[in-house]
Structure formats: C-alpha cells, structure tokens
Amino acid sequence: MQQNQSHSVLITGSTSGIGLAIAHCFARAGHHVMLHGLASDETAQALRAEFAGYSGNQGFSAADISTEAGCAQLVADTREAIGNPSILINNAGIQHTAPAHEFPAEKWQQILAINLSAGFFLSRDLLPAMRSNGWGRIINIASVHGLVASEHKSAYCAAKHGLVGLTKVLALENADRNITANAICPGWVETPLIQPQIENIAREQQVDLDTARAELVGAKQPMARATNPSAIGELALYLCGEFANTITGAALPVDGGWSAQ
C-alpha cells in the first residue's frame, strides 16, 4: 500500500459471497470499508456490527447501481461515510441463463447495466480524485467468463469480456498517475450460489455432496475443487500492495486451470 497507510475502499456487491470476503480482507488489514448491496435495514445493521471490531471505519449503501444516477448515489454515500475511496473494487454481478435466441431483452440490459456499466460509471466518477492524488487501485471482479465462453450465458460473457477490456483501457490511460487497474477472473468459488447445483446433482445421481461438488466443478476445471472466497480477497489485497505496483492491465484467472484448456 502507499506508504503503508490506510485507504478508503469501496466494494460493490459486498453483502455476501466474494464481495463480503474481500471486505473482510481489507478491513482486517486496517482499511476503511464501504459495504454495498441490496439488503434490508436489519441485514445492513448486522453487517455493520460484523465489521465494528475492525480498526477502520465502515459504511453501508443500498444504492441501485443499475443506473448512472444510482452509481452517483453510491459515490456520494461512500464519500460521506469513509471519505474519498482510493481503491475501487467492482464486484457486483447478476446472472441469467438462456439460449441467445430466447434471451429476454430486459435480462440482457440488466446484466450489462450491473456487470459492466456500473464498473465504468464508478471508475469514471472516482478516477479524477485518484489522478489528482497520484495513487489509486481499480480491481474488477470479472470471471473466467471474461476469458472464455459457456453456453446460455450470452449476456454474462459479453459483460465480463467487456469488463476485461475496460480494465485494460483504464490501465493504459492512468499508467502515468500511479494508478493500476486489474481484473480477477474466478472460476468456481465456494459460495452459497453453487450449493443448490451441488445438491441437485447429488439428488439426481444419488451420490454424496463431495462427489457431486467434484463433478460440478470438474466438468469445467481440471483442478476439480472450488476456490475459497477469501483467496479472491487476498489476491485483491495483494494487487493494492507495494509489490504489485507494476501489475496493471492484467486479467488474472483463479480458475483451477479452466481457461488454460
């Protein structure tokens, strides 16, 4: 980190899964963390309490980042709660699967808005202060689907490929201001989202959960085990540290060899 100081960090989609794991990694390291996501007041209070033991400040926003105005609201909420963020982690994402010829237009627009456009609007709004300060980090949580494709995921793959491309442009445009931009591209990650798929395989094939998990993950990944969400958080933290100050414009797969095939 810049002179080992604490930074203000905005992490979108950080109420659960990968985003929450990233938030804990940065909070443990002493940084001020802005949590974000669609959550009830009760859930938001529980999250704030969960982070209260860390030394840094924290805030929470439920801004709807599917619109430009919602992204602007999130930036305003963040500045009010923890100051101007010098680290932006675009993690929020949604998914819908269907063949391209049957893909609903509203789902296409929604996925591109949250998975791609929000990352652009937030980067655009926060970059002027990063450039003025001569330091900043932008980390886009893309996906292995930013590097390769899978059937029935036209919108998701288009958005994640776009996010990787955006990352490269931001890296080039800000290389002279000590600002790096990188994409992390996870494959299967151990989050609650994959549990129903594992249980469905176990039920259909009458196998135990470990066997079902290995089958689900191994269908795509040569290394048939999912990544711990904290591993994504630790990689993000590394990318903001002093030894990563020349890593920029990279798309880093954490995918058990999926994209190596």
Side-chain angles (χ1 to χ4, degrees):
M1 300 289 173
Q2 185 186 29
Q3 299 171 347
N4 296 317
Q5 70 186 67
S6 295
H7 289 277
S8 293
V9 187
L10 168 56
I11 308 159
T12 66
S14 46
T15 57
S16 64
I18 293 172
L20 182 57
I22 293 171
H24 275 294
C25 283
F26 277 85
R28 275 196 300 271
H31 301 289
H32 312 298
V33 170
M34 186 67 176
L35 299 161
H36 162 263
L38 299 178
S40 65
D41 289 343
E42 185 180 349
T43 301
Q45 286 181 348
L47 277 170
R48 299 278 304 258
E50 193 177 321
F51 280 76
Y54 294 119
S55 60
N57 300 323
Q58 70 280 147
F60 175 81
S61 173
D64 177 6
I65 60 170
S66 66
T67 67
E68 182 180 2
C71 291
Q73 182 63 55
L74 177 56
V75 169
D77 291 347
T78 302
R79 286 173 171 155
E80 182 179 350
I82 63 169
N84 208 55
S86 53
I87 297 172
L88 168 64
I89 301 176
N90 290 306
N91 170 74
I94 59 170
Q95 175 66 287
H96 179 81
T97 58
H101 64 280
E102 297 174 355
F103 213 93
E106 68 274 13
K107 291 295 185 183
W108 172 272
Q109 297 292 355
Q110 190 180 29
I111 288 171
L112 262 65
I114 292 173
N115 295 18
L116 177 57
S117 295
F120 164 72
F121 289 130
L122 292 169
S123 298
R124 183 197 65 182
D125 291 355
L126 294 177
L127 270 167
M130 292 182 187
R131 289 173 62 84
S132 177
N133 292 332
W135 196 92
R137 298 290 180 263
I138 296 173
I139 298 173
N140 294 319
I141 307 302
S143 165
V144 66
H145 286 114
L147 304 172
V148 298
S150 290
E151 294 178 345
H152 300 170
K153 295 183 179 179
S154 54
Y156 190 81
C157 288
K160 294 299 189 179
H161 273 71
L163 194 59
V164 170
L166 173 64
T167 302
K168 294 178 180 181
V169 172
L170 297 178
L172 294 176
E173 291 180 350
N174 297 284
D176 62 339
R177 297 299 180 99
N178 202 20
I179 296 167
T180 67
N182 291 290
I184 298 175
C185 302
W188 287 112
V189 179
E190 279 290 357
T191 68
L193 290 176
I194 74 167
Q195 197 58 32
Q197 298 174 72
I198 293 168
E199 291 171 359
N200 190 47
I201 291 171
R203 212 170 23 248
E204 287 181 353
Q205 301 190 11
Q206 296 185 319
V207 294
D208 60 45
L209 290 175
D210 286 342
T211 302
R213 180 181 286 102
E215 173 149 343
L216 176 71
V217 175
K220 293 284 189 177
Q221 294 187 187
M223 188 178 284
R225 63 174 184 266
T227 299
N228 188 301
S230 293
I232 309 299
E234 293 292 344
L235 177 55
L237 193 63
Y238 175 80
L239 289 172
C240 296
E242 61 177 313
F243 294 112
N245 60 13
T246 58
I247 301 176
T248 194
L252 302 165
V254 186
D255 64 1
W258 184 336
S259 59
Q261 299 175 97

